Amino acid sequence: MERETLEYDVLIVGAGPAGLAAAVRLGQMAQAAGSSLRICVLEKGAAVGSHALSGALIDPVGLDRLIPDWREQHGFAWSEVASERHLLLDEDSATLIPTFLMPPQLRLTGGIAASLGDVCHWLGQQAEALGVDICAGFAAVEPIIEAGALAGVLTGD
């Protein structure tokens, strides 16, 4: 059976936050260099963000570095975490744990709360604006190995 082949310089499998951030950054770098780098993101879901349904508490440092004016773009709803409390719960009581005792990665004051699906959808729009092709509804089902190296993927029908 003959399959259609699409050629890209970079293929990213999965339109989650990491895959989309990689696509945006590569698109920014290609644009700055005047390069015609062909980038594709495969997403098995029907739309970007359809598999990222939860809310999330996010350290915005990555977004700040990737797209410094993301707050002014109003691309997704978010709220800053102004304060936090950590509680140890048992069947009938709650014990407050002082924030300074929490590991740094669990201290969220200054972070943001947002829908991860909305963040992914917006990052997908940013990637497309940079010339990235996003192919939603195509799951990568098998690697293509040539000369011992990954050369691409087969998608499902």
Side-chain angles (χ1 to χ4, degrees):
M1 179 168 119
E2 190 171 327
R3 292 184 171 261
E4 180 181 5
T5 300
L6 299 175
E7 297 285 332
Y8 286 96
D9 299 307
V10 177
L11 174 65
I12 298 168
V13 178
L20 292 167
V24 167
R25 186 66 187 124
L26 286 170
Q28 290 169 335
M29 292 169 65
Q31 194 174 65
S35 170
S36 60
L37 189 66
R38 292 182 31 97
I39 305 164
C40 179
V41 178
L42 283 183
E43 169 55 37
K44 69 181 174 183
V48 172
S50 63
H51 282 112
L53 300 176
S54 70
L57 296 173
I58 303 167
D59 181 346
V61 68
L63 281 172
D64 291 339
R65 290 180 183 158
L66 187 65
I67 304 171
D69 67 342
W70 68 268
R71 288 175 177 85
E72 290 78 37
Q73 291 189 28
H74 304 290
F76 58 92
W78 59 276
S79 179
E80 186 170 332
V81 177
S83 65
E84 59 189 294
R85 294 186 327 157
H86 299 270
L87 302 169
L88 180 61
L89 305 175
D90 64 23
E91 286 185 23
D92 40 39
S93 69
T95 304
L96 183 64
I97 302 171
T99 301
F100 73 88
L101 293 177
M102 299 303 294
Q105 56 272 47
L106 294 180
R107 297 182 200 156
L108 301 169
T109 300
I112 63 169
S115 160
L116 199 53
D118 289 349
V119 173
C120 287
H121 179 75
W122 177 78
L123 280 171
Q125 291 174 333
Q126 302 307 301
E128 288 180 320
L130 291 163
V132 173
D133 291 338
I134 297 182
C135 299
F138 292 93
V141 296
E142 187 176 331
I144 298 171
I145 308 295
E146 294 176 357
L150 180 64
V153 297
L154 291 177
T155 60
D157 293 336

